[in-house]
Amino acid sequence: MGGDTGAAFQLLACDPSAVRPDRYLLEGDRCVIGRHESCAVVIAERPGVSRQHAVVERERPGSLYYLLTDNGSSYGTYVNGRRLEPGGRHRLCHDDAIGLGAEEPLLRVVDLDVTGRPAAAAPPPRQLYLDEQHLTFYLRGAPLRLTRSEERLLAHLYRHRGHVCRIESCVEAIWYDEATHDDSRRKGLHTLVSGLRKTLQGEGWTAPILNYREIGYELNLPDR
């Protein structure tokens, strides 16, 4: 599966003895996690886990992405050590750690589109690096100052480096939490790519984003 077709997510148990099943492929629209036997993912013998603790739902009909929501549990739902706010939602990303009732992770999110292809070697400090926890980019060891939309776009291209990301997937990665007309989104994407190119070129990065007309964009990683 190429990076331009979107992600296939799997929930992987950190402790297989406490989670059934120990691997769960997200392919439907809704998945309930909790200690009740009716849940799609059952957590056994863990204090603080509610009967129906959390819900994973497709972002919207036909979307490639999923959102995690706490289902009114008593002790909360955690992502990467941070508790979700009441009513808050988190868009699942590769390697997210999910804790139920405590910070200790019980589940880890696996993006099969990432793990299904050979892993790229970690870039040396002089190249581009993404701190996933804080969504901060570093180029040659120095942090890049980007807008929120630029961060989302660059993160999408970076996570799917080596592949052409289709226009639709770029638009969804940037404006997944906003209702915007498709034509406006495409125009906004073009403007955003132009601005991001200028920012990266100002850092001495030649041809940072390749444009495949009417198809999509590809991140062209610097080699020095």
Side-chain angles (χ1 to χ4, degrees):
M1 182 185 299
D4 56 339
T5 58
F9 291 106
Q10 184 179 72
L11 300 179
L12 180 66
C14 296
D15 179 1
S17 67
V19 182
R20 302 195 314 270
D22 60 359
R23 296 172 184 266
Y24 184 86
L25 180 65
L26 294 172
E27 52 186 352
D29 290 332
R30 193 170 190 267
C31 164
V32 180
I33 306 170
R35 59 182 173 84
H36 195 271
E37 290 295 329
S38 65
C39 294
V41 178
V42 179
I43 310 298
E45 300 179 0
R46 289 286 175 158
V49 177
S50 300
R51 290 165 60 86
Q52 294 186 336
H53 194 105
V55 177
V56 176
E57 294 180 291
R58 196 178 293 277
E59 193 167 67
R60 58 178 174 270
S63 174
L64 303 171
Y65 299 97
Y66 286 86
L67 301 173
L68 172 68
T69 307
D70 183 81
N71 197 34
S73 69
S74 299
Y75 297 99
T77 299
Y78 295 79
V79 179
N80 301 326
R82 296 183 180 182
R83 185 169 180 168
L84 292 181
E85 296 292 332
R89 302 184 301 170
H90 173 79
R91 193 189 211 197
L92 294 179
C93 297
H94 177 63
D95 212 30
D96 276 347
I98 301 174
L100 304 172
E103 292 184 22
E104 178 189 2
L106 290 175
L107 297 164
R108 190 166 294 278
V109 179
V110 177
D111 180 348
L112 298 178
D113 186 44
V114 173
T115 59
R117 61 177 182 260
R126 67 180 180 274
Q127 292 188 346
L128 187 69
Y129 168 73
L130 171 60
D131 179 346
E132 289 277 4
Q133 183 175 357
H134 301 99
L135 195 59
T136 300
F137 279 96
Y138 294 85
L139 183 60
R140 302 184 186 91
L144 287 173
R145 294 188 177 183
L146 304 172
T147 67
R148 183 61 174 164
S149 294
E150 287 174 337
E151 288 174 347
R152 288 179 175 179
L153 173 59
L154 187 54
H156 182 64
L157 297 174
Y158 181 86
R159 290 168 183 149
H160 297 89
R161 55 197 180 275
H163 296 263
V164 178
C165 293
R166 298 191 69 86
I167 291 173
E168 293 80 4
S169 71
C170 292
V171 165
E172 189 166 345
I174 300 164
W175 293 290
Y176 65 86
D177 55 355
E178 301 175 19
T180 309
H181 192 273
D182 286 347
D183 289 342
S184 299
R185 285 180 170 182
R186 283 175 171 261
K187 291 178 181 177
L189 174 62
H190 179 73
T191 301
L192 194 60
V193 168
S194 297
L196 185 55
R197 275 200 187 109
K198 290 180 180 178
T199 298
L200 297 176
Q201 288 170 346
E203 298 291 334
W205 183 351
T206 304
I209 301 174
L210 304 180
N211 181 9
Y212 295 82
R213 188 175 296 274
E214 300 301 323
I215 297 176
Y217 300 93
E218 181 182 358
L219 184 65
N220 184 26
L221 284 173
D223 56 7
R224 64 180 185 274

